[in-house]
């Protein structure tokens, strides 16, 4: 992208650009995933970004269990595991002494295949998604800067300037603004982005760390006014280190505000850790200041905001990128479904479901940040004094380990009621996943589990019978469920030790699937409808194919399909 746009008199006249169903603005992880999911659903999508090239820095790096589950649905999880570091917990150190931590091996969460943090640099995350988009026939249009947009009843006209300085208007049915904290889309909509900057500044580097500790654990160091982090990225060769910046450099503005030399970071990091160490070979070094802000609404007509364009907060808990990825997962299938003719008010549930989550993440990370990094002077000393016995005590409690993992991993997110979430099985209670909650994984046999059935980004019907089915009954139910199947819907019958094997029936040799879904009595049955983003949309006691078909009708053509 040129350093400055050409003078108005020299710019060529604006011209229409090829249209699309959805224009995604911003090619960070949120925008890339949104485009990928839309393309997988057959939506004509374009994605533009004002950067000339993809990220080279690690930036966001913590991929939590819920995001890994989504990548598993898409067949991408192995690429993240191959290119990342599996981190099983977090160690806390106070004034040079380890005082406890989170050990996810004790978290007790068998309902996820990913009971850990996957440390995967943002540059690699973007590369995986860009590669998958390319496979789907979509490429990022680089050096394209959005300058404004207008919308009407039929679509959105987005004005953009390309890398060559030419102006164009891109016509689309919808726009997703995933263009970061300084979002041009959000500004064009005039949406308020309420919040403030934290007073603290931090130094950050991806570099080689030579010290007496290992390079395999996520570590937090507290030492009075100075807080430091250590995150393993590539064994002893490269790690992410962060520490409080006590200089006023970031307040000066200009290039000096972010410039950082390891010679300045190293003594601060040494003080915070209480260790003799050496930092060298920086791949990336910078200063940065954190803000906490949230947008007033996630939808404005045909335009949506997601990721950092909708919410930014401290890095405490590693929630930022993961929250944006879940924004994309929540929105993409709804857009695809409405474009296929479903009622428009389905799109209202994006704001209704995701904005409370975004605000909760902002509030929670703010409390975590304030408790750990927001103290100075005597308050910081008091925090250190209290942290020693408290951290040691809670680290021994498996219940605390469990709750902490579930919270940070985003497995406990639940969506409130709407006409698109219906519970026809109140008798199941919380014995199985309630409507609006994530569908858990569980073993079906030694070769199959529930997540195998949820693979792909589509609706899934799970008909569960703990009672063994005779051949004719199983065949009849399989025929009925086949009537629900479509490109956007998969249907599966799971039964315990069916008599007379039907290849369309999943034979459960483990009771785990029935226990996880509240089908506990010996002859119990239940039916679940799981949304493409992995949340339960409807459930019923018994196997009621007709009622499930009616539940699916909420998401099918009730209005004018996009032409």
């Amino acid at each position: 992208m040129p350093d400055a746009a050409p003078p108005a008199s020299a710019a060529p006249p604006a011209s229409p650009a090829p249209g699309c169903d959805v224009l995604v603005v911003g090619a960070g992880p949120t925008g890339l995933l949104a485009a990928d999911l839309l393309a997988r659903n057959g939506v004509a999508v374009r994605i533009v970004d004002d950067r000339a090239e993809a990220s080279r820095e690690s930036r966001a790096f913590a991929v939590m269990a819920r995001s890994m589950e989504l990548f598993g649905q898409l067949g991408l999880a192995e690429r993240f595991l191959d290119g990342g570091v599996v981190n099983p917990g977090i160690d806390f150190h106070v004034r040079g002494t380890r005082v406890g931590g989170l050990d996810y091996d004790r978290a007790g969460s068998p309902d996820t295949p990913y009971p850990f943090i996957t440390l995967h640099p943002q540059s690699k995350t973007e590369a995986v998604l860009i590669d998958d988009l390319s496979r789907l026939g979509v490429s990022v249009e680089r050096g394209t800067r959005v300058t404004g947009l207008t919308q009407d009843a039929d679509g959105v006209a987005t004005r953009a300037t390309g890398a060559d300085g030419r102006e164009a208007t891109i016509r689309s049915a919808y726009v997703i603004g995933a263009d970061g904290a300084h979002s041009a889309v959000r500004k064009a909509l005039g949406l308020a982005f309420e919040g403030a900057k934290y007073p603290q500044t931090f130094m950050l580097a991806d570099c080689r760390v030579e010290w007496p500790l290992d390079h395999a654990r996520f570590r937090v160091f507290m030492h009075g006014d100075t807080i430091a982090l250590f995150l393993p990225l590539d064994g002893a060769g490269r790690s992410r280190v962060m520490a409080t910046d006590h200089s006023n450099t970031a307040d000066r503005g200009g290039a000096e505000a972010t410039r950082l030399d390891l010679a300045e970071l190293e003594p601060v990091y040494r003080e915070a850790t209480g260790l003799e160490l050496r930092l060298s070979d920086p791949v990336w070094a910078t200063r940065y200041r954190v803000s906490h802000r949230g947008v007033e609404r996630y939808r404005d007509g045909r335009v949506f905001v997601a990721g950092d364009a909708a919410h930014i907060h401290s890095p405490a808990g590693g929630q930022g990128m993961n929250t944006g990825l879940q924004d994309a997962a929540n929105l993409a299938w709804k857009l695809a479904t409405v474009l296929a003719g479903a009622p428009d008010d389905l799109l209202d549930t994006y704001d209704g479901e995701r904005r409370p989550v975004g605000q909760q993440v902002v509030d929670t990370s703010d409390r975590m940040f304030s408790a750990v990094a927001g103290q100075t002077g005597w308050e910081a000393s008091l925090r250190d004094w209290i942290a020693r016995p408290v951290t040691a005590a809670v680290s021994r409690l498996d219940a605390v380990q469990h709750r902490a993992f579930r919270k940070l991993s985003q497995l406990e997110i639940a969506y409130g009621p709407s006409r698109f979430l219906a519970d026809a099985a109140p008798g199941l209670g919380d014995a199985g996943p309630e409507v609006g909650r994530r569908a858990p994984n569980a073993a079906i046999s030694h070769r199959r589990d529930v997540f195998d059935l949820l693979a792909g980004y589509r609706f899934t019907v799970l008909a569960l019978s703990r009672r063994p089915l005779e051949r004719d009954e199983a065949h009849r139910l399989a025929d009925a469920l086949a009537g629900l199947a479509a490109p956007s819907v998969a249907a599966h019958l799971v039964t315990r030790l069916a008599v007379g094997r039907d290849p369309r029936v999943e034979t459960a040799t483990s009771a785990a699937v029935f226990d996880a879904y509240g089908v506990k009595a010996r002859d119990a049955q239940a039916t679940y409808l799981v949304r493409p983003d992995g949340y339960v949309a409807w459930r019923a006691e018994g196997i009621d194919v007709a009622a499930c078909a009616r539940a699916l009708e909420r998401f099918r053509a009730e209005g004018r399909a996009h032409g």
Side-chain angles (χ1 to χ4, degrees):
M1 186 173 180
D3 293 333
S9 59
S15 59
C20 56
D21 289 332
V22 180
L23 173 66
V24 178
V25 182
T30 299
L32 289 167
L33 181 61
D36 188 282
L37 296 174
L38 288 164
R40 285 171 179 258
N41 276 265
V43 173
V45 61
R46 290 176 65 183
I47 178 168
V48 301
D49 194 283
D50 62 359
R51 296 175 298 171
E53 58 184 17
S55 295
R56 294 184 177 182
E57 302 87 6
S58 62
R59 295 188 182 273
F61 46 82
V63 184
M64 298 301 183
R66 186 70 194 101
S67 297
M68 286 298 295
E69 290 179 354
L70 176 60
F71 290 132
Q73 276 184 263
L74 304 180
L76 301 175
E78 290 304 316
R79 291 194 60 180
F80 280 82
L81 294 173
D82 290 345
V85 175
V86 172
N87 192 90
I90 305 172
D91 285 350
F92 292 94
H93 300 249
V94 176
R95 296 184 180 269
T97 301
R98 183 187 181 278
V99 296
L102 301 178
D103 182 358
Y104 292 159
D105 290 339
R106 295 164 50 202
S109 291
D111 63 334
T112 181
Y114 311 104
F116 44 77
I117 304 171
T118 305
L119 299 177
H120 193 266
Q122 181 173 325
S123 56
K124 288 186 176 181
T125 296
E126 291 184 12
V128 170
L129 293 171
I130 289 169
D131 183 63
D132 199 58
L133 265 179
S134 178
R135 179 186 63 82
L136 297 167
V138 180
S139 59
V140 178
E141 300 172 42
R142 296 276 177 200
T144 302
R145 178 171 58 88
V146 168
T147 58
L149 59 82
T150 57
Q151 56 179 315
D152 54 38
D154 297 317
V156 187
T158 302
R159 299 185 299 280
T161 302
D164 58 1
R166 291 182 177 273
E167 297 177 354
T169 299
I170 304 171
R171 185 75 183 177
S172 61
Y174 298 98
V175 169
I176 299 175
D179 48 341
H182 303 288
S183 170
V185 171
R186 186 188 66 240
K187 292 174 181 176
L189 294 172
L191 296 176
F193 201 38
E194 299 294 341
K197 287 184 176 182
Y198 290 105
Q200 294 88 349
T201 303
F202 293 88
M203 297 180 285
L204 174 156
D206 291 348
C207 63
R208 181 181 181 86
V209 180
E210 298 172 69
W211 67 351
L213 302 180
D214 63 51
H215 294 78
R217 300 282 296 181
F218 189 155
R219 300 178 186 274
V220 178
F221 298 91
M222 293 179 281
H223 192 287
D225 292 355
T226 304
I227 300 296
L229 302 180
F230 173 87
L231 299 106
L233 294 178
D234 188 17
R238 181 163 59 101
S239 305
R240 160 73 59 86
V241 294
M242 299 168 58
T244 309
D245 181 10
H246 297 294
S247 73
N248 296 319
T249 305
D251 298 325
R252 298 171 188 168
E256 291 296 322
T258 58
R259 187 174 298 156
L260 176 67
D261 190 282
L262 288 188
E264 184 175 357
L265 172 57
E266 184 176 293
V268 178
Y269 200 72
R270 185 181 294 115
E271 177 190 4
T273 62
L275 300 170
E276 286 301 317
L277 53 83
R278 180 172 179 266
L279 307 182
S280 62
D281 303 328
V283 176
W284 180 44
T286 189
R287 302 176 197 271
Y288 75 101
R289 173 166 282 169
V290 181
S291 297
H292 53 103
R293 299 183 187 276
V295 76
E296 58 188 295
R297 60 183 182 276
Y298 284 22
R299 180 188 187 187
D300 188 309
R302 290 177 168 268
V303 185
F304 305 82
V305 289
D308 285 357
H311 44 76
I312 57 172
H313 42 82
S314 87
Q319 302 295 289
M321 179 179 68
N322 295 275
T323 305
L325 292 171
Q326 297 305 316
D327 289 345
N330 184 284
L331 177 58
W333 71 268
K334 294 174 180 177
L335 282 170
T337 305
V338 170
L339 284 163
D344 177 81
D345 61 338
L346 175 61
L347 297 176
D348 289 335
T349 65
Y350 170 63
D351 176 86
E353 292 180 350
R354 293 305 299 172
R355 185 159 52 89
V357 172
Q359 189 57 54
Q360 182 183 54
V361 170
V362 171
D363 293 344
T364 300
S365 61
D366 179 60
R367 289 194 295 270
M368 293 171 63
F369 181 88
S370 298
V372 176
Q375 311 296 322
T376 59
W378 69 266
E379 292 178 326
S381 298
L382 179 61
R383 178 211 60 210
D384 289 352
W385 183 76
I386 294 174
R388 288 175 181 270
V390 170
T391 305
V394 301
S395 295
R396 292 191 289 268
L397 301 175
D398 287 353
V400 173
Q401 301 283 348
H402 176 78
R403 286 196 299 272
F405 171 72
R406 306 291 292 190
K407 183 73 171 180
L408 293 177
S409 63
Q410 302 194 342
L411 297 178
E412 294 299 300
I413 289 171
Y415 298 135
S418 75
R419 77 181 188 92
F420 296 99
L421 294 173
D423 190 352
L428 289 176
D430 60 1
E434 297 171 282
V435 165
R437 287 194 172 272
R438 157 188 166 273
N441 194 34
I444 297 173
S445 69
H446 67 287
R447 292 183 300 179
R448 299 276 274 174
D449 59 31
V450 171
F451 279 8
D452 289 325
L453 307 188
L454 299 183
Y457 184 68
R458 57 187 176 177
F459 286 95
T460 303
V461 178
L462 298 176
L464 308 172
S465 177
R466 191 158 190 155
R467 173 172 63 82
L469 299 176
E470 297 290 341
R471 178 176 57 192
D472 289 346
E473 184 181 10
H475 185 76
R476 176 180 58 79
L477 286 172
D479 282 345
L481 288 166
L484 299 178
S488 61
V489 182
H492 300 279
L493 174 61
V494 182
T495 184
R496 188 68 184 261
L497 302 174
V499 179
R501 185 174 177 83
D502 185 318
R504 299 173 299 172
V505 178
E506 299 284 343
T507 301
T509 57
S510 168
V513 60
F514 304 115
D515 292 339
Y517 282 79
V519 186
K520 295 187 177 293
R522 186 168 58 184
D523 61 348
Q525 297 176 322
T527 312
Y528 284 82
L529 176 62
V530 182
R531 306 186 326 187
D533 59 350
Y535 288 82
V536 176
W538 174 89
R539 66 178 186 171
E541 293 179 271
I543 297 179
D544 193 336
V545 178
C548 187
R550 291 191 295 273
L552 273 166
E553 284 302 312
R554 294 185 178 92
F555 304 98
R556 289 180 169 159
E558 293 184 17
R560 179 174 61 85
H562 173 63

